[in-house]
Amino acid sequence: MSRYDEFKKEMLSDPEVKKEYDSLAPEFDIIQAMVNARKEQHLTQKELSERTGITQADISRIENGTRNPSLEMLKRLAKGMGMQLRLEFIPGAQDKKV
């Protein structure tokens, strides 16, 4: 197990940290899906920028989690990769009020 994995496991043993980590999962899922799609097509951020008109800096910010893209921007990114954007609402655990 890597030092990072050990650190992550230790941090997630704290219920407050785990709750916050879990609340960010949808954002991380979107980022990971975008990065995976771009890399599967062997596209650089610059090439995707040229296809979409979105600056390479903004694509980088989205991928590193410091910029939240709009729905319109996500659609442009998907189109630039020859894909369609699909969002889903799926059943999940209900938030428990304490």
Side-chain angles (χ1 to χ4, degrees):
M1 185 178 291
S2 72
R3 294 172 76 197
Y4 171 77
D5 290 335
E6 291 171 10
F7 174 76
K8 181 178 172 183
K9 183 178 179 181
E10 180 182 332
M11 294 304 295
L12 292 178
S13 68
D14 179 330
E16 290 296 318
V17 172
K18 174 121 174 62
K19 181 179 177 182
E20 186 64 23
Y21 180 86
D22 290 345
S23 75
L24 294 172
E27 286 88 344
F28 291 135
D29 289 345
I30 290 169
I31 291 167
Q32 193 61 58
M34 182 183 141
V35 171
N36 290 347
R38 181 177 63 76
K39 287 185 175 183
E40 286 171 6
Q41 295 186 29
H42 306 288
L43 290 173
T44 64
Q45 290 178 349
K46 183 177 182 191
E47 290 167 330
L48 184 56
S49 171
E50 292 167 354
R51 290 183 180 192
T52 62
I54 298 168
T55 67
Q56 184 273 326
D58 275 340
I59 291 171
S60 176
R61 289 181 190 108
I62 292 166
E63 290 187 2
N64 70 34
T66 59
R67 180 162 188 338
N68 289 325
S70 66
L71 182 57
E72 185 58 36
M73 186 176 283
L74 290 172
K75 290 181 348 187
R76 285 173 58 196
L77 289 163
K79 185 176 179 182
M81 292 184 280
M83 302 176 127
Q84 290 183 320
L85 178 66
R86 182 178 76 180
L87 300 175
E88 295 181 276
F89 288 90
I90 58 173
Q94 298 294 318
D95 290 330
K96 296 179 183 177
K97 294 184 180 181
V98 179

